[in-house]
């Protein structure tokens, strides 16, 4: 009996490794495919030679068998506490004027510039330095490509045009709705419109920005958004495009997802207003009124990771978020915890691979009442401007970002509750995919000539 179990267990491990190799070939992960195949062969040889060549008795076969089964049990069976994201009392709202994407738009000589740096002189030097770098998607960035960069820029222009449609008066004829039915209807509609996951949050007023920092509304005016709920959704970013980070395909993918998200939120907000309830879409790039990651966390879409943004249990860090705030009566979801805080404490892969050093490698800190890893946004944006793309290397290397396939979902199941699974998965991910990834750093020579061409063109026109 023991020998039969022994043979089945060895076979199951080998088959798993072969399946992993097949999936790795599909994911174009050559190193992982080779390692899995070699491991499967070595395991088969060692495991079965104990039974065939060496003819071990049952009591000797029981030792590796017990060890292997114990490992499986410890990997999957939940034990220990899951540490959810720790959110204490948040007393102050964030001012959108302080957000790095607002700050980079304050041009020297403008009223905004003078006003802002009188309020925040500590940011003047670093922001001036960032503004001196080539603008994102403009000539001078390492990966700048006149055709591709222009096409991505164009998508962002289209998104910006949608900001005029984010709000409007609700219909005077209010339709009475059942909370349960409309919640289910709204979720179905969001998915139908192209989102990949959706949740509802009770809107925490502390996640609403205090003052307008970007977009068509008057800069610096206080933001009044007292809506009760937020409908939050995520869009999965294409795996193979994210794998090309930090080159332009990842930026192209971000832009395409933001465009899809903008369409979803604008059309959903219009629909809700036509039911007679106020609703505002929060569209990328220029006029968010709310901080999306904590609202998405409240809506049960994922957890905040070391990476600085939301990690979805289904798609990892490969997501873009969108939201609509409203007074339509909805049933809110609850935040979820699936082991991200514990796993991130051990993993650190995003921090190790971040080329700008923007992601902290140490323990989380309390930031305005939230226990998190604070991202150095200035370093991150500086790198974006140098490369001319939105980088995404952290998203690419995150072990949660693997595609939702059979093998990766098995690992995700273990990561939910088991500290053993956390440790083994960090080792396994490094072993199969490498701790530090290599990426094409482009050619600065090419970029210098691009800058020169651009300047020549500007001076002749
Ligand atoms: S996007 Fe790039 S530079 Fe920014 S935090 Fe991620 S890896 Fe670092
Ligand atoms: S790479 Fe690792 S540490 Fe960074 S967010 Fe992903 S799981 Fe957390």
């Amino acid at each position: 009996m023991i020998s039969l179990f022994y043979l089945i267990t060895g076979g199951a491990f080998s088959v798993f490794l072969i399946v992993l190799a097949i999936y790795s070939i599909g994911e174009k992960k050559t190193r992982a495919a080779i390692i899995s195949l070699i491991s499967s062969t070595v395991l088969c040889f060692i495991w079965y030679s104990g039974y065939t060549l060496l003819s071990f008795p049952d009591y000797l076969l029981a030792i590796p068998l017990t060890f292997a089964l114990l490992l499986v049990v410890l990997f999957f069976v939940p034990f220990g506490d899951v540490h959810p994201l720790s959110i204490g009392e948040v007393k102050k709202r964030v001012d959108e004027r302080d957000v790095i994407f607002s700050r980079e738009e304050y041009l020297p000589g403008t009223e905004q510039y003078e006003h802002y740096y009188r309020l925040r002189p500590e940011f003047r030097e670093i922001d001036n330095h960032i503004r001196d770098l080539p603008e994102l998607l403009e000539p001078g960035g390492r990966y700048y490509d006149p055709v591709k960069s222009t096409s991505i820029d164009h998508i962002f222009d289209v998104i910006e045009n949608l900001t005029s449609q984010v709000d409007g008066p609700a219909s005077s004829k209010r339709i009475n709705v059942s909370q349960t039915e409309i919640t289910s209807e709204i979720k179905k509609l969001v998915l139908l419109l192209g989102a990949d996951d959706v949740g509802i949050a009770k809107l925490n007023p502390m996640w609403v920005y205090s003052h307008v920092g970007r977009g068509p509304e008057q800069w610096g005016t206080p933001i009044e958004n007292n809506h009760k709920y937020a409908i939050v959704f995520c869009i999965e970013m294409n795996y193979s495009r994210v794998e090309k980070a930090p080159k332009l395909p990842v930026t192209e993918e971000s832009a395409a997802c933001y465009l899809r998200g903008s369409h979803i939120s604008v059309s959903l907000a219009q629909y809700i207003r036509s039911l007679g309830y106020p609703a505002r879409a929060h569209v990328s790039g220029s006029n968010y009124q709310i901080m999306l990651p904590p609202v998405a966390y409240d809506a049960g879409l994922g957890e905040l990771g070391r990476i600085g943004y939301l990690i979805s249990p289904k798609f990892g860090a490969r997501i873009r978020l969108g939201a609509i705030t409203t007074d339509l009566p909805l049933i809110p979801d609850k935040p979820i915890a699936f082991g991200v805080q514990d796993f991130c404490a051990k993993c650190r892969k995003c921090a190790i691979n971040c080329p700008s050093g923007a992601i902290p490698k140490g323990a989380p800190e309390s930031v305005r009442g939230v226990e998190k890893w604070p991202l150095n946004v200035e370093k991150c944006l500086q790198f974006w401007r140098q490369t001319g793309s939105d980088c995404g290397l952290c998203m690419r290397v995150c072990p949660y970002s693997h595609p939702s396939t059979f093998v990766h979902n098995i690992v995700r199941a273990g990561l939910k509750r088991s500290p053993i699974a956390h440790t083994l998965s960090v080792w396994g991910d490094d072993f199969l995919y490498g701790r530090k990834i290599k990426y094409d750093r482009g050619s600065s020579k090419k970029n210098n000539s691009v800058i020169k061409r651009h300047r020549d063109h500007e001076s002749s026109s």
Side-chain angles (χ1 to χ4, degrees):
M1 193 65 171
I2 288 180
S3 49
L4 181 65
F5 269 128
Y6 181 85
L7 294 175
I8 292 173
T9 306
F13 271 100
S14 301
V15 168
F16 178 80
L17 287 169
I18 291 168
V19 173
L20 176 61
I22 294 169
Y23 275 110
S24 300
I25 292 168
E27 290 163 20
K28 298 197 175 72
K29 295 283 188 187
T30 316
R31 172 187 162 123
I34 294 171
I35 291 176
S36 320
L37 279 178
I38 294 175
S39 307
S40 172
T41 313
V42 172
L43 177 79
C44 256
F45 178 74
I46 295 174
W47 196 267
Y48 289 110
S49 62
Y51 181 76
T52 51
L53 296 178
L54 304 172
S55 305
F56 282 153
D58 277 3
Y59 75 91
L60 276 184
L61 294 180
I63 297 171
L65 178 62
T66 311
F67 182 75
L69 293 178
L70 199 65
L71 205 66
V72 172
V73 170
L74 288 175
F75 194 93
F76 289 110
V77 174
F79 67 95
D81 293 330
V82 170
H83 297 107
L85 182 70
S86 164
I87 301 183
E89 198 188 348
V90 182
K91 293 189 184 139
K92 208 169 162 237
R93 287 156 64 185
V94 168
D95 188 334
E96 199 199 12
R97 290 175 295 182
D98 291 332
V99 171
I100 191 74
F101 298 116
S102 306
R103 280 159 45 196
E104 69 170 337
E105 288 179 4
Y106 309 151
L107 299 180
T110 61
E111 204 181 310
Q112 260 175 16
Y113 180 95
E114 297 304 331
H115 184 119
Y116 182 74
Y117 294 107
R118 258 199 312 277
L119 288 176
R120 302 269 192 275
E122 67 275 22
F123 290 139
R124 187 191 293 260
E125 195 183 339
I126 179 69
D127 291 358
N128 279 341
H129 173 66
I130 291 173
R131 273 184 294 262
D132 280 346
L133 295 167
E135 273 187 51
L136 196 66
L137 301 169
E138 292 293 327
R142 194 178 296 157
Y143 300 118
Y144 174 76
D145 176 302
V147 174
K148 272 197 179 304
S149 303
T150 308
S151 112
I152 300 168
D153 215 13
H154 164 74
I155 299 176
F156 284 118
D157 287 345
V158 175
I159 295 172
E160 215 161 302
N161 290 338
L162 284 169
T163 56
S164 59
Q165 298 173 43
V166 294
D167 210 348
S171 162
S172 54
K173 286 185 204 144
R174 180 169 282 194
I175 296 174
N176 284 330
V177 290
S178 130
Q179 215 167 347
T180 318
E181 278 171 24
I182 198 69
T183 301
S184 144
E185 199 54 43
I186 289 285
K187 285 185 173 177
K188 275 192 227 154
L189 185 58
V190 173
L191 297 177
L192 178 75
L193 289 171
D196 294 299
D197 202 4
V198 56
I200 313 275
K202 206 163 176 300
L203 183 60
N204 180 342
M206 287 298 119
W207 305 147
V208 177
Y209 286 122
S210 63
H211 294 81
V212 174
R214 303 171 78 195
E217 284 142 20
Q218 179 67 41
W219 186 82
T221 51
I223 295 177
E224 299 289 338
N225 183 327
N226 301 313
H227 290 156
K228 292 192 185 82
Y229 303 102
I231 302 157
V232 198
F233 57 86
C234 74
I235 295 174
E236 179 187 11
M237 291 176 71
N238 177 280
Y239 172 75
S240 55
R241 287 177 168 271
V242 171
E243 278 293 295
K244 303 224 166 58
K247 293 168 98 178
L248 282 179
V250 74
T251 313
E252 209 171 23
E253 179 64 14
S254 299
C257 290
Y258 279 131
L259 180 61
R260 197 158 17 125
S262 303
H263 281 138
I264 295 170
S265 41
V266 164
S267 48
L268 197 75
Q270 280 182 4
Y271 162 60
I272 295 172
R273 289 197 297 271
S274 70
L275 293 176
Y277 300 85
R280 189 199 193 271
H282 299 267
V283 166
S284 154
S286 53
N287 77 335
Y288 287 125
Q289 284 186 334
I290 57 172
M291 296 160 66
L292 283 183
V295 181
Y297 168 72
D298 287 347
L301 287 186
E303 274 190 76
L304 291 179
R306 184 187 288 274
I307 207 165
Y309 40 84
L310 201 82
I311 296 191
S312 145
K314 297 177 187 163
F315 316 112
R318 273 185 308 112
I319 52 166
R320 293 293 166 194
L321 297 168
I324 302 100
T325 51
T326 180
D327 282 340
L328 181 73
L330 295 165
I331 300 174
D333 294 294
K334 289 195 168 57
I336 52 169
F338 55 103
V340 171
Q341 307 311 305
D342 297 320
F343 187 67
C344 284
K346 288 181 180 163
C347 169
R348 304 191 308 137
K349 203 163 182 173
C350 52
I352 287 164
N353 282 281
C354 171
S356 70
I359 303 175
K361 294 189 176 118
E365 296 167 23
S366 178
V367 183
R368 298 173 48 257
V370 182
E371 201 68 18
K372 61 186 239 184
W373 288 276
L375 190 73
N376 185 324
V377 288
E378 289 85 7
K379 283 187 178 177
C380 177
L381 184 63
Q382 226 170 289
F383 187 74
W384 285 21
R385 282 196 170 220
Q386 283 159 354
T387 53
S389 75
D390 64 1
C391 177
L393 271 169
C394 45
M395 181 186 285
R396 172 178 164 188
V397 299
C398 178
Y400 281 106
S401 292
H402 292 302
S404 287
T405 56
F406 168 70
V407 274
H408 296 309
N409 287 342
I410 286 187
V411 178
R412 283 191 183 109
L415 289 183
K416 281 188 186 156
R417 262 307 271 283
S418 157
I420 301 282
H422 293 154
T423 305
L424 290 180
S425 302
V426 171
W427 290 346
D429 204 88
D430 289 350
F431 182 53
L432 288 168
Y433 306 102
R435 182 77 173 148
K436 196 133 178 38
I437 60 150
K438 294 191 181 84
Y439 66 93
D440 178 356
R441 285 160 202 270
S443 150
S444 51
K445 214 169 155 191
K446 175 186 153 200
N447 292 311
N448 289 340
S449 65
V450 170
I451 297 173
K452 189 173 175 310
R453 273 206 311 277
H454 179 64
R455 290 196 180 138
D456 290 347
H457 173 73
E458 279 190 333
S459 52
S460 64
S461 55

